Amino acid sequence: MNQTAPDDPDQFAILATALTRRFGTLTAVDHIELQVAYGEIFGLLGANGAGKSTMIKMLTTLLPPTSGSAQVGGFDIIKSPGEVRRRIGYVSQLLSADGALTGFENLLLSARLYGLHGSESRSRIDDALNFMGLADSAKKLVKTYSGGMIRRLELAQAMLHRPAILFLDEPTIGLDPVARHTVWDRLLDLRHSYGMTVLITTHDMEEAEMLCDSLAILHAGKISVIGKPAELRSGLGDEATMDDVFAHYAGGSIHESGTFSDVAKTRRTAQRLG
Amino acid sequence: MQRLVRETAAIVEVELIKLIRDPTELISRAIQPLLWLVVFGQVLAQVRGIHTGQMSYLAFITPGILAQSILFSSIFYGIAIIWERDLGVVHKLLVSPAWRASLVFGKAIAAGFRGIVQTVVIYLIALAMHVSIRLDPLAILAVASSVMLGSGIFATFSLIIACIVKTRERFMGIGQVLTMPMFFASNAIYPLDIMPDWLRVVARLNPLTYLIDALRGLVINGGASVYGFAADFTIMIGVFVVLLFIAVKLYPSLAE
Ligand SMILES: Nc1ncnc2c1ncn2[C@@H]1O[C@H](COP(=O)(O)OP(=O)(O)OP(=O)(O)O)[C@@H](O)[C@H]1O
Ligand SMILES: [Mg+2]
């Protein structure tokens, strides 16, 4: 693969080529081709077990692909994982903020792991707390936070080092409508203020339509369709809603692709949030 | 190097904050050594069934019980790691550009500080029972280093097991199966010379034996190390380094 200069504006923020991951006999992600332009909010949709989290884990260097390759922020995820990590932020499907620490301590840990220190670290943390509306709760233990506050704290942690690309795995799962809208507002603001590229997974069609410039629907590890939300809707006829789009491309029933453990995992996340 | 120190310090600090905020685990871990020293140690000392030279039996087992308490608290460190994995904390650490070595080393050092707290507790119990403890600064410093090293070894070993088994249930099973044999196949509560040959061979391969050997020379007035401090520390450092290498390789698999 020829080496391209990092942060070249003509380049894609995310470029996946025949990206594949197997678990035993199961092919969770199957030869996926994906291009996401800088500055875009890109949605990855699909039923439980479609392969969304597996895809994100590969792009964030957490999981090695079985075959294929990908570049994130101009760097190869296998050859230069360190360079990729410096350029990305990630909020996992699980609630990863540490409940036994305060919001401030969680942010301080992130800052230090990203090599920020001194007054720069302090001012970034203050910025992030203000941006996410958490300044008043910074000194409280995270286990006393509501689900929406935890999600906003995690976004704050993920944005501290000003990543070019943010990966968000179902960031609004289990949140009430108000908390959900707050997270959406913060995301749109992040893109507006820092020009961040965002790759977000969801099974919520309202969220997809509201946030995403483009989206891909995954089914059993393959992309079944890719396009702008409005295009996808009009492609199915005048009356079509986003839910119709999902039902049409995501492979019908959840029973087909989602295993028990997938659903149990989702429920657990939702419970912790609730 | 500076980066390693900084990142390791970040991990250690977080662990210490959590430890100070919720010391219940430390307190409950103090009960077992109390039983061993006050009940087991005193009863066996009356029986005089185990020959420990001119050292009293209670003095003989004090370093053994200290090492045991370090072993038990460190070996279950893997549970906390698996817990962090289930919560997604591991994922957050691993997407950061921090060196994987810093993350693993930070955990080992944090375990060392827990070991130091255990040591203080056991010293207090032993002093209350009139065990003749060496309190000169050099001995205390050497004990602290041994305890840090021993805790680091067992915590890193535990982290490796956690990376392999990945679930709490399986870990609990393996943890139980490993700890008691490691304890009994060591010189903690009886000297190696009274062991059957096969057990002595196992004990000589057990890193716990060298930790206890060093502690026996460092904790007790008139105590002596059988293998010599140089051998004890060389073996412990060697084991620690090898375990760290394996742990650094395996730790990223926790996020998969
Ligand atoms: N570590 C793993 N080992 C074995 N199988 C796995 C592993 N991770 C994921 N899978 C399987 O791969 C498939 C895709 O899982 P993935 O988590 O990517 O789905 P998802 O689209 O994120 O689903 P959800 O909406 O439930 O989060 C599922 O069948 C899942 O059981
Ligand atoms: Mg998922």
Side-chain angles (χ1 to χ4, degrees), chain A residues 95-96 98 100 105 112 114, chain B residues 13 18 21 87 92 97 256:
Chain A
L95 288 184
S96 61
D98 198 324
E105 287 161 353
R112 292 171 78 178
Y114 282 90
Chain B
E13 204 178 301
K18 289 202 265 187
R21 221 163 256 163
L87 292 184
K92 192 172 62 189
E256 290 181 2

Side-chain angles (χ1 to χ4, degrees), chain A:
Chain A
M1 188 155 293
N2 60 330
Q3 196 66 39
T4 34
D7 302 325
D8 174 348
D10 298 332
Q11 229 190 296
F12 290 110
I14 301 168
L15 176 67
T17 317
L19 196 61
T20 302
R21 173 70 202 204
R22 291 195 195 89
F23 294 108
T25 54
L26 173 88
T27 307
V29 170
D30 195 357
H31 293 85
I32 284 196
E33 307 280 332
L34 188 69
Q35 286 129 32
V36 177
Y38 276 106
E40 208 175 6
I41 296 187
F42 190 93
L44 209 52
L45 277 67
N48 291 126
K52 306 180 294 293
S53 296
T54 306
M55 185 79 190
I56 285 209
K57 281 187 183 172
M58 287 192 283
L59 295 174
T60 51
T61 76
L62 290 177
L63 178 72
T66 310
S67 64
S69 65
Q71 291 198 353
V72 173
F75 287 92
D76 190 284
I77 55 168
I78 298 155
K79 288 180 208 134
S80 325
E83 298 296 337
V84 171
R85 287 181 197 127
R86 245 182 281 282
R87 286 164 179 77
I88 63 172
Y90 167 63
V91 176
S92 87
Q93 187 170 350
L94 305 156
L95 288 184
S96 61
D98 198 324
L101 299 175
T102 65
F104 177 79
E105 287 161 353
N106 267 285
L107 283 162
L108 190 61
L109 173 64
S110 290
R112 292 171 78 178
L113 293 179
Y114 282 90
L116 299 167
H117 42 91
S119 60
E120 189 186 17
S121 160
R122 264 322 272 251
S123 75
R124 293 269 184 104
I125 290 175
D126 287 343
D127 276 357
L129 284 168
N130 287 325
F131 192 88
M132 290 298 164
L134 291 169
D136 294 336
S137 332
K139 296 221 148 44
K140 293 201 186 106
L141 289 185
V142 170
K143 63 180 162 216
T144 66
Y145 281 24
S146 70
M149 287 164 78
I150 294 180
R151 274 308 187 208
R152 278 182 280 135
L153 175 64
E154 290 178 330
L155 284 173
Q157 283 185 279
M159 65 173 271
L160 265 188
H161 57 292
R162 305 271 188 272
I165 306 153
L166 261 185
F167 291 89
L168 309 174
D169 201 351
E170 305 199 24
T172 59
I173 191 166
L175 297 188
D176 66 52
V178 178
R180 234 154 41 113
H181 281 274
T182 317
V183 168
W184 294 348
D185 287 346
R186 296 298 82 204
L187 278 180
L188 290 170
D189 252 8
L190 261 185
R191 192 252 299 263
H192 179 77
S193 308
Y194 302 104
M196 280 179 199
T197 308
V198 181
L199 186 124
I200 181 173
T201 75
T202 177
H203 2 224
D204 177 341
M205 295 313 289
E206 189 194 351
E207 176 164 293
E209 175 147 46
M210 163 81 204
L211 285 179
C212 300
D213 303 309
S214 311
L215 46 89
I217 299 182
L218 280 183
H219 173 53
K222 292 197 168 81
I223 291 184
S224 50
V225 73
I226 204 160
K228 296 189 191 312
E231 289 169 8
L232 295 181
R233 241 185 312 106
S234 57
L236 289 185
D238 298 338
E239 303 283 275
T241 64
M242 283 309 280
D243 286 332
D244 298 331
V245 172
F246 188 82
H248 188 262
Y249 292 108
S253 77
I254 282 171
H255 303 287
E256 201 178 307
S257 49
T259 60
F260 173 75
S261 77
D262 297 328
V263 179
K265 192 174 63 199
T266 311
R267 292 256 171 78
R268 264 206 308 280
T269 313
Q271 256 167 22
R272 289 194 64 218
L273 280 161

Side-chain angles (χ1 to χ4, degrees), chain B residues 147-162:
Chain B
V147 167
M148 293 289 285
L149 200 50
S151 309
I153 288 174
F154 298 119
T156 309
F157 182 52
S158 171
L159 188 143
I160 291 172
I161 297 171

Side-chain angles (χ1 to χ4, degrees), chain B residues 222-236:
Chain B
S225 145
V226 175
Y227 308 116
F229 295 127
D232 291 334
F233 275 91
T234 309
I235 291 170
M236 284 196 284

Side-chain angles (χ1 to χ4, degrees), chain B residues 118-131:
Chain B
Q118 307 264 336
T119 308
V120 172
V121 171
I122 288 168
Y123 266 49
L124 292 176
I125 299 172
L127 284 170
M129 298 178 70
H130 307 293
V131 176

